[in-house]
Amino acid sequence: VMVSVKDLFDGMDQILPEMLEFVRRHGSPFDAYAEAWIDRMRALDGFMERHRKDCRLIRYEDLVAEPLAQLAELTGFMGVAPAAGQMLESAFASPASVGLGDWRIYSKRGLDPGGVGRWRSAMPARTAARLIPHLEPLMKRHGYEIPQVEPGPEGAAAIRRYELSMQFAQTIGKRD
C-alpha cells in the first residue's frame, strides 16, 4: 500500500488532502503512508469488530492469487447472484478511465499478482527495516508473514559504500 500510494502521489505530483496530516508529521513519505495505513486499518478493524456478521475482509494478495475463489466467497457472503467469473470478466470488459485511483488498472484486462511484494524493490531496505516493527501487530492480525529485512549500512558506512560504488561506476565507464 505504501509503495502504491507513493507512486500515485508521485504521478499526480501532489498529495491528497486526506494524507496531508500524516505527511506533515514525517520526514519520510513512507513513514507517513505507513502511519496512514495503520490508522485506516485500526479504523477498519474497529468497524469490523462492531459489525462482525456484516463484514468480510479480503486481502489483496489473496484476491490476485485466487480471484475466482475469493469473489465466489464474497458473492456467496453477500447473497449476490452473478457468478464470480462473470463478475470478473465484466469488470475488465472495457477500459475505464473515470475517477481517481490507480491509473495502472486502466491498461489491465485481469487481476495480476505481479505487484505482490513489489515493496522489496521499491522501498529502501533501511526504511522497511525501520517501519516493519510498527506495522507488525496489524500484519500479524491479518495473517501476513513478517518479513526479515537487513537495514544495510548507516552513517559513515553508507557514505563510504556510496563513494566506492561511484568510483566503481567511473572505472567501468572509462573502460567502455
Side-chain angles (χ1 to χ4, degrees):
V1 170
M2 293 170 281
V3 169
S4 290
V5 169
K6 185 172 183 318
D7 287 350
L8 175 65
F9 293 170
D10 288 351
M12 292 175 21
D13 192 31
Q14 58 182 301
I15 296 168
L16 294 177
E18 296 87 349
M19 294 295 288
L20 287 174
E21 68 176 275
F22 299 103
V23 172
R24 284 185 187 116
R25 285 196 290 263
H26 297 282
S28 160
F30 287 122
D31 288 76
Y33 309 150
E35 183 188 350
W37 182 80
I38 290 169
D39 181 72
R40 294 297 80 211
M41 285 304 295
R42 285 181 179 156
L44 180 60
D45 284 348
F47 180 86
M48 289 175 48
E49 189 67 30
R50 292 186 306 276
H51 304 279
R52 285 184 190 184
K53 65 179 178 55
D54 298 320
C55 295
R56 167 72 172 93
L57 181 71
I58 298 177
R59 297 180 334 158
Y60 169 78
E61 294 81 357
D62 299 332
L63 178 63
V64 297
E66 299 179 300
L68 293 178
Q70 290 293 316
L71 288 174
E73 189 175 325
L74 179 63
T75 56
F77 173 79
M78 294 171 59
V80 176
Q86 191 179 15
M87 185 185 294
L88 191 59
E89 185 179 313
S90 175
F92 290 99
S94 61
S97 60
V98 178
L100 177 62
D102 189 342
W103 61 89
R104 293 171 292 205
I105 196 68
Y106 302 149
S107 64
K108 302 283 184 180
R109 293 294 165 251
L111 294 174
D112 176 15
V116 174
R118 189 170 65 90
W119 65 270
R120 290 186 181 276
S121 62
M123 181 185 296
R126 175 155 298 292
T127 302
R130 181 180 69 249
L131 294 177
I132 288 171
H134 301 288
L135 302 168
E136 186 172 335
L138 283 168
M139 292 174 72
K140 283 182 178 178
R141 179 179 173 123
H142 292 284
Y144 288 100
E145 187 176 314
I146 308 304
Q148 301 301 310
V149 178
E150 291 297 323
E154 60 180 279
I159 292 169
R160 182 65 182 142
R161 180 180 278 186
Y162 171 77
E163 291 170 345
L164 290 172
S165 67
M166 292 304 292
Q167 288 174 359
F168 179 71
Q170 289 173 352
T171 301
I172 296 298
K174 290 178 183 178
R175 291 183 185 171
D176 291 336

